[in-house]
Amino acid sequence: VDMRDAVISEDFVRYKYNLYQFYQINTFFDEAILEFLRFYIHQKNEKGITFFENKFERTFAENPAARFKLARFFIAHEKYEKAENQIKKIFEDYELIKSQYDTKIRKVTFLNPPIDDLYFELGKIRFYQKDYENALGNFKTANVINPLHATALYNAAVTLKKLGLNEEAINLFKDAIKINPFLRETANNIFTETN
């Protein structure tokens, strides 16, 4: 609460003080490290950014869930190459685990993060980079892996619309809405803009 209030009042001295208190509770807490990264990105402090990126990498090198959180953090801050590197490392780790434990009678399933979400985040990266063809491929792969991934279908539809394939986009929007009716308002807003 103190940190939020400090941000709202733009009292960054108080914010930083509370951030250090938060960090001291557990210096290996991923949220605390990400909050420091957020702060140093806001301050445009490259030394602070580098220090906490390295701290995160050292601390969570063997933790795909934390690295996925870092990848999503990088996407939110438009650091797409760094986000993609984190996702690629997770894929590499998953392949290694599969090679060690997958057999004819036993299959490894990854839950945190799941494979479909990795492809979905790669799709977002490609979309933000305006690489719509590859974004579409990643969104579709996410949906093949998890046919109930309505957000992947929705984003594939948005991507199709960007590619000028409006009829195909409408069909995917309809499919996404069948899975998640709450997407209806968002889809309506997208198509209202074009009419």
Side-chain angles (χ1 to χ4, degrees):
V1 172
D2 286 340
M3 286 173 55
R4 187 196 70 210
D5 290 344
V7 169
I8 290 169
S9 65
E10 296 185 16
D11 183 352
F12 290 107
V13 172
R14 191 170 110 208
Y15 170 79
K16 196 170 179 183
Y17 170 80
N18 285 295
L19 179 55
Y20 274 103
Q21 298 302 312
F22 178 52
Y23 180 66
Q24 290 305 316
I25 292 170
N26 181 354
T27 58
F28 298 102
F29 181 44
D30 59 359
E31 289 296 330
I33 298 170
L34 289 176
E35 192 62 34
F36 263 108
L37 270 173
R38 189 173 290 110
F39 173 74
Y40 285 121
I41 287 170
H42 179 267
Q43 297 293 308
K44 298 181 176 136
N45 182 325
E46 290 301 320
K47 286 183 180 179
I49 293 168
T50 301
F51 176 83
F52 282 102
E53 281 180 359
N54 291 338
K55 167 91 173 166
F56 200 99
E57 190 64 38
R58 284 189 313 275
T59 306
F60 300 107
E62 304 297 320
N63 185 331
R67 284 211 319 266
F68 185 65
K69 200 182 279 190
L70 180 62
R72 294 177 82 191
F73 174 89
F74 283 142
I75 291 169
H77 288 86
E78 300 178 0
K79 311 283 185 202
Y80 303 124
E81 187 176 320
K82 290 180 179 185
E84 184 178 356
N85 288 338
Q86 291 300 319
I87 292 172
K88 284 180 178 178
K89 288 177 188 174
I90 296 168
F91 272 123
E92 289 169 8
D93 289 349
Y94 281 5
E95 285 303 314
L96 180 63
I97 292 168
K98 281 178 68 172
S99 72
Q100 293 172 341
Y101 296 103
D102 255 4
T103 66
K104 289 181 182 179
I105 58 172
R106 178 181 63 204
K107 295 292 176 199
V108 175
T109 303
F110 299 101
L111 301 176
N112 193 11
I115 302 285
D116 59 315
D117 283 347
L118 291 171
Y119 280 105
F120 176 71
E121 294 300 327
L122 279 177
K124 286 171 41 182
I125 292 167
R126 298 288 177 258
F127 184 86
Y128 294 139
Q129 293 173 324
K130 298 184 181 358
D131 181 2
Y132 299 123
E133 295 287 337
N134 284 319
L136 183 61
N138 284 307
F139 292 139
K140 285 185 173 183
T141 301
N143 185 249
V144 167
I145 294 167
N146 177 2
L148 297 177
H149 202 309
T151 312
L153 273 179
Y154 171 81
N155 280 280
V158 171
T159 306
L160 284 169
K161 186 171 178 279
K162 286 282 189 185
L163 292 168
L165 302 168
N166 291 335
E167 197 63 38
E168 292 89 341
I170 289 169
N171 291 332
L172 278 187
F173 275 126
K174 288 177 182 177
D175 291 342
I177 290 168
K178 285 178 191 171
I179 296 168
N180 182 353
F182 294 106
L183 293 172
R184 182 177 311 281
E185 282 302 314
T186 310
N188 287 341
N189 291 341
I190 296 263
F191 283 105
T192 314
E193 292 173 8
T194 59
N195 294 336

